[in-house]
Every structure is written in C-alpha cells, then in structure tokens.
Amino acid sequence: MLYTFYQKLILKYPLSVLIILVSSILIFGINVLKLEIDASAETLLLNDDKDLAFSRTVAKRFQTNDVLILAYKPKQDLLSPKSLQTLTRITKDLEKLPRVESVDSLINVPLFFSPVREMDDLINETRTLKSPDINLSMVKHEFLTSPLYKDSLVNKEFTISSIIIHLYQDPEYFTLLEKRNHLLDKEKSASLTKAEKQTLHDVTEAFKAHRDAQRDIDNQNIKAIRSLISKYHNEATFFLGGVQMISNDIVGFIKNDLLIYGSTLILLIILVLGIVFKKARWVMLPILICTLSVIAITSSLGYFEWEITVISSNFIALQLIITISIVLHLIVRYEELLTLYPHASSKRLILVTMLTKATPTFFAILTTIAGFSTLLYSHIYPVINLGWMMSAGISMSLIIAFIVFPAVLMLLKKTPPVKQKKSMAFIPSLTAKIVLHDKKAIYIVTFLSIVFSVTGASQLIVENSFINYFKKDTEIYKGMSIIDRELGGTTPLDIILTLSDKNSTFSSTAATQENTDEEADSFEDEFSAVEDQEQYWFTNEKIKIIKKVHDYLTHLAQVGEVQSFATLLDTGKILNKNKDLDSIDLALIYKKLPQKYRDVILTPYVNIEHNQLRFSTRIIDSNEGLRRDALLKKIKDDLTQLIDPDVATVQLSNLMVLYNNMLQSLFHSQITMVGLVLLIVFLMFLVLFRSLKLTLIALIVNIIPIALVFGFMGWLHIPLDIMTITIAAIAMGIGIDDTIHYIHRFQIEFEKDNRYYFTMHRTSTSIGNALYFTTLVIVIGFSILTLSNLIPTIYFGLLTMVVMVAALTSDLILLPKLLIHFKPFKRVK
Amino acid sequence: MLKKVILLLFLSVLSLYALEEQNIQKVTDTKVREVLNILKDKSLSQKQKDEMNVRIIDNIFDFDIMAQISLGKRWKTLSKDEQRRFSKAFEKKIKHSYLDKLRLYNNEKVIIKDLEKIKSNRITLETQVIGLDDTYKVIYLFYKKRQTDQWYIYDVELVGVSIIQTYRKQFAEFLTTKTVKELIESL
C-alpha cells in the first residue's frame, strides 16, 4: 500500500503534491491568529480539585478580593514630607485605574495608638497620617509595633513600605462559573435536556468570552501600574508583587525566552546541519519540514481553541526535537543508500529510503505518542493539553516529513554522496569498538548509573517556587524577595476553622431534681429565644482558640504575615490598657461597630452565619527550608492536635494549597505515568519485535536514561515542578525512538550474516550515525537555553541535553552489548 | 465606650436593696446619685470604694437566679453542693467584673428613664448613660420573687447586649468539652 502510495502519487506528481500540501497548510495557517495563550494562575490548578471549590467559597464568604502589593522604597526617610508627598500622588494615580477598588498605604491606614485613645473616640474619628497634630515618632513606633502593621505594611528597618492595591472582585466570573459547573455536574450524574445542553453551551461560551476580556483588563492593569511606577522612578524604587503578577510575569519571560532562544536555537541547528551534511538541501529540508509542522500544529491549536499555557509553552521545542529526529533518520538513510548505490535512480533511492524507514519511524512515533498520551492521566488542563498537542503535533510531523521529504528530493537533482570526515562520525564507530573490546566495564558503568539514579531520585523534591524561577542577581528576583522576606510573604494560605454547632442543651430528663421549677422554665424560655443573636457569638472559648491558632501560625518560620480576628483582639488589648477584651466587650463592640469597620476587621476573618473563622497568612516563598507539602501537612496535623476536633475542624485553602495539590498530583501522575508508559512500550515492543527477550532488553535500555534524568535532578537539587515535569516525556520519546531504529536496523543487518559482532558494527556505523547526528544537532541547539536568565529554561535545556546524551549512550553501547550477550535473534538460514 | 457602658450599668444600681414595684424608679435614681458621689470622692481609697460598692449591689442583684439562668438546663443536673459552689463562684465573678469596670468611671451622667411592666412578674427599667460624645441605653431587668414578693435584678442589657446571655453562651460552650467542676475552677 505504501509502495503504491509513493509510486503512484508522491513520486509521480511531486510538485503538485507539494503545492497542495504547502498551500493547504498555509491556508489552514490562518487559524494561527486564533491561537490563545492562557497565562492565568487558574490554568495551573486541578480540574476537579475540591479545594478549589472550597477556596472559591471562602473568597465569597469572607469577601476577600485580589490584591497586588507594591513595595515602595523612597530615597528619603519613609515619613519625610517628600516621600509622603510622592506616596500621596502615586496613591491618587493608582486609585484612578479602572480595576482598582481602593489603595491602602502609610498615608491612609487608621492609626490606633498615635496616641492611644478611647474606643468610642476611635470609632467617631479615624486618625491617619493626614490628620492634624500627628506626632511622627509616635506613628513610626505604631507602624513598627502594631499587630496590624508590623512586618507587613513596613519592614523592620523602616525603609520600605507596602502599597496594597485592592482590585475589584469580579462577580460575573463566579456567576458564570457556578452556572457552568452546575450544569457540568448535572451532565456527569444525569443526562441534560436539549434546552440545558444549549444553556451549557451558551454559558461556556459566555464564560470564556468574559474570562478573556477580564484577562486583557488585568494585563492592562498591570501594565498601567508599571507605567505609573516608571513616572516616579527618580523619587523611589518600586517592586510589584503578588502571586498573579508573578505568574503573569513568568509567562512573559518564558515567551520572551522562547522567542530569543528559540530563534537562536534554529540558527544553531542550521549551522550544525550545515557542518555535518555540507549540503544546502540537508539544511533547508529539515527546516522546511519543521516549519510546516509547527505551522500545522499551531493552526490546529487555534482551530480547536486549545490554549497554550506555561506548561505547554515548550511544546514547539519538543516538536522540533522529534521532527528533526525523523528527518535526520531519512537523510542518513538516503545518504547511506546513495553511498552504497551511487548509480541508482533518484526515484529508486527515495522510494527505498521511505519504505525502509516507514516501519521503525511509525513505531517510534507511535511509542512517543504513547508516552505523551500518558499526560492525559494527569488532572491538570495544561498537562493534558500538552499530551494532546504533542500527540497531534508529532503525528503531523510524521505525515508532513513522509510527504515533503520525498517530494522535494524528487524535484532536486541527485548529488554525489556526502563524504563524512572521520572526525565527524567517530562516535558511532568508537562505541562499536567499546562494545567489541569490553569485558565488564559497560555493566559496571550501567550498575553505577543505576545507583546514581536511585540515590538521586530518592532526593527528588516536588516544589514550585515562583521566586526561584529567577536568578538571584536579577532585579526581578530582588524585588520579589523584598516583598517576600520583608513585607510579609508571597503565596496566600488561608486556615479556616469551622466550629462545631454542638451546644450543651440538656433535656430535662437529665435533671436530678424532681420538682420542675416554673420560674426557672420561664427564664429558660426567655433566654433561649434570643441566644442565637450574633453578638453572643464571641465567647471566651472561641477567643482562646483564635489566639491559640494565631500564635501557632506566627511562630512558623515559613509563614510571613498572619491576619485574623486575633489581630483585632491584640489591638483591642493595647487600647484597653493591656487588658484582654472579654466576651462582653466583644459583644458590645460588635453591636456598636459601624459597617465600614465591620467590613475591614470582622468580615474577612469571622463568619458567624457559618460558624467559621479565617486566618489569612502569606507564605515566605523564598525560604530555603520551605517544603510546601510538608508544611501544609504539619499545619493541619498540629492544629488538629491543638484543637479538639469536637470543637472545630481545620481546613486549608487558597493558592498555596491549590498549587500544592497540583504539584502533588503532577508528582503522583508522573509515577503512574512512567509505569504506564513502560507498560505500553513493553506491549508495543512485543508487537514490533515479537520476542520477549528483545522486548526486555529494549525496555532496560530505555529505563536507564529516564532514571538518569531523575537521578540528575535529585543530585543537582532541581525540583520537579510544572516546568521540569515534561522532561520525562522527552526522555521516553527520544530514547524509545533511538532504540526502535537501532533494533530494527540490527534485525535487518543480522539477517545478512547471522553474526552478532559484525552486525553490531554495521548497525552502529550506519544507523548509529543518524542517532548521533540527531543528538549532536539537538544538544548543540539546546545548549543555548542554558544561557537564559530564567531558571526553568536553563533546566529545560540542560535536562534535554542530559536525556539526549544518556539515550544515545544507552542505545549505542548498552543496547548492542545486551544484544551480543543475550543473542535474542533467531538465525536465518 | 463599652467600658463606660458597663461601668454605668453598675453605677446606676448601686446601693439598691430589694424593691417594691412602686419604688423601683425613685430608689434607683436616688441611689445612683449616691454612688456617683462615692466614685467622685477623692478621700476614699480604691479599696474602700470597692467595698462600699459591693455592699450596695448585694441586696438588689439576685445572684442565685443569675447563676441558675447562666447554666440553663444544665443547672438541674448539678447536685445541691455543686449548685451552691457554682453560685458562689459566679457571684464572685460578676462582682469582680463589676468593680473592674467601675474604675473606668469618667464623670458620665446617668438618667433614669421609663419603667415598663412586661408581664405580672417582669419589669424593665431603661436608663441612659451620657458621655462626652455618645449616649448609651442600659436596661435593667427585674423579676418578682414568689417567696418574698420583692423585685430583684436578674439581668442587665447594655446597648442590646445581655450580660447573662453572654455568660450562658460562654458556659454552654465551655461545658461541651469540660466538666462543671472545671467551670467552677475557671471562675
């Protein structure tokens, strides 16, 4: 069938085929314009995370809104007239921005202790820095010592202060989201009516449109804030922080990196191809095929409305690797045949090239697709998408390469074969020599590699620190770490206590006194009728719990700012001549407190209706000893120990938890994935080689490079995070491809003389070249990534290089060694 | 603010004794003046003021019934001895709290307002505490003791917050995880 396809179509009408293919790709390429990049932090969260639903409930219930934090470091003293003037001006400017609801800074936060006053005075008149007759040294003391402001509004040295930018909540987003999720849930449990299906479709569309519009507005907002800051750069230094800003920035960096290094990488690949093959066609053809493949896949993404996210942003680099590998195999095979049969017709040479490479390439791509398909088992949209993208992308690469390569070659004149310099292709023949003369060294090195991998992998940590995505000497790192270390931390974590509703009402049957007392009963009725009024909620028992939890949290080294109802209690204590507020005091405050104060000091931390307390904290992301998962487990365990579970239950929420869930899920899906891939590959090898012995050999050869990658990551303390997670998939893709090509060729060569040593030598010096050149081109190309300023890009480049070299070494040394040792092939007479 | 309120609630009942219905308003008014005078008297030490004030409220507050209400239905599960010990402890607590708040007095005025008969054995007396910037409503809740036919205070509401209800909630919560014995100790 393939023979007919090439004979009757591709090789007969190469120009027409090319024109049709290229023009359809280009026409389809219009869809590239629809390609969307989703950089929001939301994309990193799990699809079906219960904690996500809970975090959204918390955000609604406690009316918390998103904030951006701007660190302000004036050239003069923080309270000098000039720096306060600048602060006033920038605050006014910020308040004018459409997304900004309000701005809190030194100049407008309420002052409670400058001087200490009676509580009703405080309620009747809020004093701020702008009030007349303010004593600045008193104010400074308050900022540095008040439970409300110390270490979050100002740093310990009193040189930097926070400008907290409160953004408007987006109720429309949640309304649409809830509507959509409600229908999706219903769809899972029962079938939807026709009308409901239509509604679901409409809501999904509306949600997406709203989210896209909102995202644009958010990006505009951050841009506007940045341009505002630049207006004031002569007077002060500013650093913008906040989780969303960081994740947005990172995506920007990644995109830039991909653009700069991606184009340099292409140039490098062109250069290496030129040096290795010394023919313009062998440079142009791979580049043409890569370009067409990338256009095809990106337009497909646009067409199917799949969005590129942080995780899938390196899919183009991955596709380049695999496409180059396909084309180089074809080039090497063609050159090989050309050297062997210099007088054969061009058509014949091309046909044989395509037919002999079809099976191994098809299986190589199939196993790679199998590798990437396992990404579909993760619960994270971007990772699932990457799985789809890669599977679709490399399928396209295979089809495009197998059409464009022969068609273009048919249109070109046959040229004499490339004479490889010895120095260029010395590696494959060197590996053949190593295998021939080796006694035990290969096994010893393999064993040591396994030891290295296992010990390294056991040190592997699953962490995702946004701050550590940047080199420590970059401005952005310095800015982030100032907010992180000096102004209360970065990643928000909420601790929610749900108090039990159990009350100690007793039935009269428990009474020991026999006479029922009418008087007592009438009092009982009178007091029971009003006992659920909100002002009575603040009992001493609750106050004790709040203080206990708050104190516990403030003593954790990895926790920065902690805000809760206890902050108010501490402030109240200072105002109350250092006496704790009791439940009567609190009931009175609750009754007397104007709504505007309630919204600031009560609503974010206490929800009487649901009997819940919220402790809002920020985690110090740059803390070296921070192990996110362990910290969350510790907090939950400790608090469960600290508080009787009959009294209150503990739940954690907000981004810290959501990112951690995502990472843990990623980690566990990695383990499942690796297992699954090996199983799928095992079955495929079995189908392809029809020999258990050979399948096991191929499997062992592939496990080593994958293990080495994890070993390397462990020993170099490279965490497994959203960026490095795809490395395993590359390791499998590349390694397995190499193995299939090698064994396939070995099989063919073995049939010629049934002698393992000679077969090995012939295989290594023929197909070995293709493997070697692919590795060479990619390693040199990707080495450029290690010059990036972005740590994930460096890791990506470095680990790709490690994978490629490990896979090549394993396939050119260990694989032939095992084949010679175990002799899996049947002699053909 | 709240301190003043609490203080004034106590101020306004100083030196009352068990009352008959028609006297409630008049006696309250008179006695408040007396107490204010005691508080303003600079010749008295703090200790002397405290002792006088405690004596004043002893006759008018029914601490036993207050203790009983504050425990709700749980009260009946206590043995006679526990009830006695709890009442004592509760009385001490209320008095301590009262003296504590009384020290906050800062020349506020107290005006006795209307008396309202809710039902045959319940009367409320509204008073107003007037500070420099604000006025607070304080209501005394009287009940008629069947055995003596006299009126006693069983609760006070400051700005809509019932003192006894606050304790009721607190004790109910305390007793979900702890015993009455522990409660008496904590008081």
Side-chain angles (χ1 to χ4, degrees):
Chain A
M1 196 187 93
L2 204 60
Y3 175 84
T4 319
F5 171 72
Y6 278 114
Q7 275 284 41
K8 298 269 158 79
L9 183 68
I10 309 270
L11 302 179
K12 205 170 178 182
Y13 311 108
L15 188 62
S16 314
V17 167
L18 259 185
I19 289 170
I20 290 167
L21 180 80
V22 173
S23 53
S24 27
I25 288 178
L26 290 179
I27 290 164
F28 188 59
I30 290 170
N31 287 305
V32 168
L33 301 174
K34 287 195 212 159
L35 187 68
E36 289 188 52
I37 294 176
D38 186 353
S40 62
E42 285 255 318
T43 58
L44 302 177
L45 308 176
L46 299 179
N47 292 348
D48 46 6
D49 191 351
K50 285 190 183 69
D51 287 324
L52 177 60
F54 180 67
S55 290
R56 282 175 177 153
T57 306
V58 167
K60 256 174 94 169
R61 198 167 280 175
F62 292 92
Q63 293 177 23
T64 59
N65 54 4
D66 278 343
V67 294
L68 288 169
I69 296 167
L70 186 58
Y72 169 63
K73 189 180 181 180
K75 290 183 173 151
Q76 299 82 12
D77 184 82
L78 267 182
L79 296 179
S80 70
K82 194 164 184 340
S83 63
L84 289 179
Q85 205 179 36
T86 307
L87 193 53
T88 310
R89 280 178 18 232
I90 195 161
T91 302
K92 273 192 184 138
D93 285 346
L94 286 168
E95 279 169 344
K96 284 179 197 154
L97 296 176
R99 270 287 278 140
V100 175
E101 184 177 30
S102 62
V103 178
D104 286 335
S105 68
L106 292 182
I107 48 172
N108 66 349
V109 292
L111 298 169
F112 296 109
F113 317 136
S114 307
V116 171
R117 293 176 297 150
E118 286 289 342
M119 254 191 234
D120 41 359
D121 295 348
L122 285 174
I123 286 170
N124 291 327
E125 185 227 0
T126 314
R127 279 170 76 82
T128 67
L129 256 177
K130 286 178 174 169
S131 304
D133 53 294
I134 276 283
N135 178 333
L136 286 182
S137 64
M138 228 180 223
V139 170
K140 182 175 176 176
H141 184 258
E142 171 161 1
F143 283 141
L144 285 168
T145 56
S146 159
L148 286 164
Y149 306 135
K150 67 173 177 191
D151 298 335
S152 61
L153 190 72
V154 293
N155 65 338
K156 281 192 174 66
E157 287 74 32
F158 207 69
T159 51
I160 305 167
S161 80
S162 297
I163 300 173
I164 298 148
I165 304 163
H166 297 271
L167 304 173
Y168 277 110
Q169 263 198 327
D170 179 10
E172 175 76 357
Y173 177 91
F174 285 107
T175 311
L176 289 167
L177 184 83
E178 274 169 21
K179 230 174 174 176
R180 187 197 68 173
N181 289 355
H182 170 72
L183 285 165
L184 284 174
D185 289 345
K186 199 173 170 184
E187 194 177 39
K188 275 180 203 163
S189 56
S191 59
L192 295 177
T193 63
K194 205 173 174 183
E196 281 172 331
K197 274 183 186 156
Q198 187 56 44
T199 313
L200 177 61
H201 176 264
D202 294 347
V203 167
T204 308
E205 287 292 302
F207 174 72
K208 203 169 173 313
H210 176 80
R211 189 200 59 190
D212 291 353
Q214 205 56 35
R215 198 186 298 154
D216 275 352
I217 294 169
D218 284 344
N219 281 334
Q220 290 303 326
N221 190 48
I222 287 178
K223 274 188 192 146
I225 292 172
R226 288 222 161 101
S227 73
L228 260 183
I229 294 168
S230 63
K231 269 190 1 195
Y232 294 93
H233 75 274
N234 288 332
E235 291 146 65
T237 317
F238 292 94
F239 310 101
L240 187 57
V243 172
Q244 286 195 317
M245 193 273 331
I246 295 175
S247 52
N248 274 341
D249 265 22
I250 284 173
V251 175
F253 271 85
I254 289 173
K255 278 199 283 190
N256 267 340
D257 257 21
L258 282 175
L259 200 71
I260 296 165
Y261 293 105
S263 45
T264 321
L265 186 144
I266 301 274
L267 286 175
L268 265 178
I269 288 177
I270 290 173
L271 193 72
V272 179
L273 287 171
I275 292 170
V276 171
F277 296 112
K278 297 181 200 65
K279 277 187 191 174
R281 62 180 58 187
W282 297 147
V283 176
M284 298 310 294
L285 245 180
I287 298 298
L288 174 70
I289 292 168
C290 283
T291 311
L292 288 173
S293 304
V294 169
I295 293 174
I297 184 64
T298 44
S299 359
S300 306
L301 297 184
Y303 182 78
F304 291 110
E305 294 183 342
W306 287 347
E307 292 169 323
I308 296 183
T309 60
V310 184
I311 295 176
S312 44
S313 62
N314 51 22
F315 88 98
I316 291 184
L318 290 176
Q319 205 186 346
L320 278 181
I321 296 175
I322 289 160
T323 315
I324 291 249
S325 152
I326 296 172
V327 183
L328 287 192
H329 275 287
L330 293 175
I331 294 174
V332 171
R333 181 63 181 149
Y334 177 86
E335 283 288 342
E336 207 182 310
L337 291 168
L338 189 62
T339 313
L340 286 173
Y341 314 104
H343 303 298
S345 72
S346 180
K347 190 176 178 180
R348 185 86 197 133
L349 285 172
I350 297 167
L351 186 65
V352 175
T353 302
M354 302 320 289
L355 294 179
T356 51
K357 289 314 283 181
T359 308
T361 309
F362 174 75
F363 272 95
I365 292 299
L366 207 59
T367 49
T368 310
I369 288 176
F372 281 112
S373 303
T374 53
L375 294 176
L376 308 182
Y377 280 84
S378 83
H379 292 263
I380 305 152
Y381 268 128
V383 178
I384 294 171
N385 273 354
L386 181 67
W388 282 116
M389 283 176 194
M390 288 312 304
S391 303
I394 55 186
S395 308
M396 283 181 187
S397 294
L398 178 71
I399 294 163
I400 292 169
F402 270 69
I403 294 173
V404 174
F405 186 87
V408 171
L409 273 192
M410 274 306 286
L411 296 174
L412 298 172
K413 276 201 183 114
K414 203 174 83 173
T415 52
V418 177
K419 284 220 165 38
Q420 289 291 359
K421 276 189 197 162
K422 270 268 182 329
S423 61
M424 274 311 299
F426 77 100
I427 294 274
S429 52
L430 175 69
T431 57
K433 279 190 194 121
I434 291 172
V435 176
L436 278 177
H437 297 106
D438 170 71
K439 296 279 185 287
K440 281 182 187 155
I442 293 175
Y443 291 139
I444 292 167
V445 171
T446 304
F447 176 74
L448 291 176
S449 302
I450 293 169
V451 171
F452 170 85
S453 303
V454 171
T455 49
S458 64
Q459 299 176 56
L460 202 60
I461 51 168
V462 188
E463 289 296 333
N464 194 66
S465 163
F466 285 129
I467 285 186
N468 293 335
Y469 275 14
F470 301 94
K471 283 184 179 167
K472 287 195 164 79
D473 56 356
T474 53
E475 276 307 306
I476 189 156
Y477 179 90
K478 286 176 192 163
M480 282 184 194
S481 71
I482 280 178
I483 291 174
D484 195 47
R485 289 177 175 278
E486 304 200 37
L487 297 171
T490 300
T491 321
L493 167 69
D494 285 353
I495 288 89
I496 307 293
L497 292 192
T498 306
L499 299 151
S500 97
D501 281 330
K502 235 168 65 175
N503 58 39
S504 67
T505 44
F506 277 75
S507 61
S508 356
T509 49
T512 55
Q513 293 175 338
E514 283 171 24
N515 306 342
T516 50
D517 182 345
E518 245 180 81
E519 200 159 65
D521 286 349
S522 76
F523 279 125
E524 194 55 38
D525 294 342
E526 184 183 329
F527 280 86
S528 298
V530 291
E531 71 181 356
D532 286 328
Q533 287 180 350
E534 291 188 341
Q535 67 266 31
Y536 303 119
W537 192 85
F538 302 91
T539 59
N540 282 354
E541 291 304 299
K542 290 192 183 90
I543 294 169
K544 268 184 217 157
I545 290 174
I546 293 170
K547 283 184 172 167
K548 226 194 262 184
V549 174
H550 190 99
D551 282 350
Y552 165 79
L553 292 169
T554 47
H555 284 101
L556 292 170
Q558 302 90 336
V559 174
E561 183 193 28
V562 181
Q563 292 284 350
S564 73
F565 191 64
T567 321
L568 170 77
L569 294 172
D570 290 343
T571 310
K573 185 180 174 180
I574 297 170
L575 294 170
N576 198 25
K577 300 192 172 61
N578 261 337
K579 273 194 211 139
D580 283 318
L581 297 176
D582 60 21
S583 48
I584 297 175
D585 297 338
L586 289 171
L588 289 166
I589 290 176
Y590 186 80
K591 285 291 282 188
K592 286 287 294 176
L593 206 61
Q595 191 60 41
K596 65 168 182 177
Y597 280 101
R598 241 180 233 208
D599 289 344
V600 176
I601 58 175
L602 269 181
T603 314
Y605 309 115
V606 173
N607 187 294
I608 295 176
E609 186 194 345
H610 295 94
N611 228 357
Q612 282 181 326
L613 291 160
R614 171 173 169 261
F615 298 79
S616 151
T617 72
R618 280 191 275 140
I619 301 296
I620 299 169
D621 202 41
S622 56
N623 181 304
E624 294 289 343
L626 176 59
R627 294 287 168 268
R628 287 159 185 75
D629 191 51
L631 177 69
L632 293 174
K633 283 201 175 95
K634 176 182 156 62
I635 290 176
K636 189 146 190 181
D637 291 346
D638 288 355
L639 289 179
T640 312
Q641 295 282 317
L642 205 66
I643 302 160
D644 185 339
D646 287 341
V647 173
T649 51
V650 182
Q651 275 171 291
L652 307 184
S653 93
N654 217 330
L655 275 181
M656 176 80 184
V657 176
L658 302 178
Y659 280 145
N660 188 61
N661 287 355
M662 182 268 295
L663 273 177
Q664 294 308 316
S665 155
L666 219 49
F667 181 62
H668 294 300
S669 69
Q670 270 287 288
I671 296 168
T672 325
M673 232 173 67
V674 172
L676 201 65
V677 165
L678 291 175
L679 179 71
I680 292 173
V681 167
F682 173 81
L683 294 173
M684 282 188 160
F685 281 168
L686 214 50
V687 171
L688 181 65
F689 302 135
R690 296 194 177 83
S691 146
L692 183 65
K693 210 191 254 185
L694 202 50
T695 299
L696 290 173
I697 290 172
L699 214 54
I700 290 164
V701 168
N702 277 295
I703 289 171
I704 307 282
I706 296 170
L708 266 176
V709 170
F710 289 128
F712 241 90
M713 286 174 75
W715 281 109
L716 293 181
H717 302 299
I718 297 174
L720 198 58
D721 64 19
I722 53 172
M723 297 300 292
T724 50
I725 205 83
T726 49
I727 297 294
I730 304 171
M732 289 173 206
I734 299 293
I736 291 166
D737 288 7
D738 285 358
T739 311
I740 291 176
H741 281 292
Y742 192 94
I743 293 179
H744 183 264
R745 186 56 183 267
F746 199 99
Q747 236 166 343
I748 292 167
E749 293 294 334
F750 186 76
E751 285 167 11
K752 290 179 185 170
D753 58 6
N754 288 338
R755 295 172 72 179
Y756 275 93
Y757 277 113
F758 292 115
T759 301
M760 185 273 296
H761 200 274
R762 286 198 302 276
T763 310
S764 288
T765 48
S766 55
I767 195 81
N769 279 334
L771 305 183
Y772 167 62
F773 290 141
T774 305
T775 308
L776 191 72
V777 169
I778 289 165
V779 166
I780 292 176
F782 274 69
S783 64
I784 193 76
L785 298 187
T786 55
L787 300 179
S788 163
N789 261 337
L790 198 65
I791 307 270
T793 309
I794 297 175
Y795 288 161
F796 184 63
L798 187 74
L799 292 171
T800 304
M801 287 157 70
V802 170
V803 167
M804 297 294 298
V805 173
L808 181 74
T809 315
S810 188
D811 283 310
L812 288 186
I813 295 177
L814 181 62
L815 178 58
K817 178 79 188 175
L818 291 172
L819 290 175
I820 291 169
H821 190 130
F822 291 102
K823 301 189 168 46
F825 295 107
K826 289 189 180 79
R827 289 174 180 277
V828 183
K829 287 181 182 161
Chain B
M1 143 210 107
L2 48 121
K3 305 166 207 156
K4 293 177 186 173
V5 175
I6 293 167
L7 134 81
L8 288 159
L9 108 87
F10 289 112
L11 277 186
S12 25
V13 296
L14 301 174
S15 137
L16 289 177
Y17 44 85
L19 293 167
E20 293 189 354
E21 189 176 336
Q22 62 273 27
N23 293 339
I24 289 178
Q25 231 165 331
K26 197 172 136 208
V27 172
T28 307
D29 193 31
T30 315
K31 294 302 169 188
V32 164
R33 309 290 142 227
E34 276 177 39
V35 174
L36 294 181
N37 289 336
I38 291 175
L39 284 175
K40 288 173 191 166
D41 190 344
K42 292 200 170 79
S43 66
L44 296 169
S45 69
Q46 189 58 55
K47 198 176 171 216
Q48 286 170 314
K49 285 181 185 177
D50 286 354
E51 281 167 5
M52 289 164 85
N53 290 333
V54 167
R55 265 201 304 275
I56 289 165
I57 60 161
D58 261 349
N59 304 328
I60 186 69
F61 277 65
D62 185 342
F63 292 111
D64 287 341
I65 204 76
M66 283 178 157
Q68 193 175 327
I69 298 169
S70 74
L71 269 193
K73 288 183 178 166
R74 177 76 80 136
W75 174 260
K76 293 178 184 174
T77 67
L78 270 58
S79 66
K80 280 271 182 271
D81 181 53
E82 280 175 327
Q83 286 180 351
R84 193 181 44 76
R85 282 191 300 125
F86 178 76
S87 285
K88 273 273 158 267
F90 185 73
E91 182 178 333
K92 224 171 160 179
K93 168 96 183 164
I94 286 265
K95 285 177 178 173
H96 177 268
S97 169
Y98 149 72
L99 293 174
D100 195 44
K101 310 291 183 198
L102 218 54
R103 291 182 191 131
L104 304 169
Y105 177 69
N106 194 13
N107 291 328
E108 286 84 354
K109 278 189 191 154
V110 182
I111 297 171
I112 307 292
K113 303 269 294 184
D114 307 325
L115 193 78
E116 192 184 343
K117 191 154 185 176
I118 309 288
K119 51 185 181 181
S120 63
N121 59 349
R122 296 279 195 280
I123 281 178
T124 61
L125 174 64
E126 188 184 323
T127 66
Q128 279 190 336
V129 178
I130 301 164
L132 274 175
D133 336 280
D134 229 333
T135 301
Y136 308 111
K137 190 157 66 168
V138 179
I139 298 171
Y140 299 95
L141 287 82
F142 291 83
Y143 87 105
K144 190 158 86 175
K145 204 167 181 166
R146 258 182 309 178
Q147 296 90 324
T148 60
D149 250 25
Q150 297 288 326
W151 293 82
Y152 293 90
I153 291 177
Y154 69 94
D155 190 14
V156 184
E157 263 184 28
L158 325 168
V159 205
V161 175
S162 148
I163 301 294
I164 297 301
Q165 187 68 269
T166 311
Y167 282 117
R168 253 172 84 88
K169 284 290 275 196
Q170 207 157 288
F171 296 161
E173 223 163 79
F174 186 98
L175 292 171
T176 52
T177 53
K178 298 186 186 80
T179 62
V180 173
K181 190 168 173 276
E182 285 170 301
L183 176 60
I184 294 169
E185 276 164 19
S186 82
L187 288 175

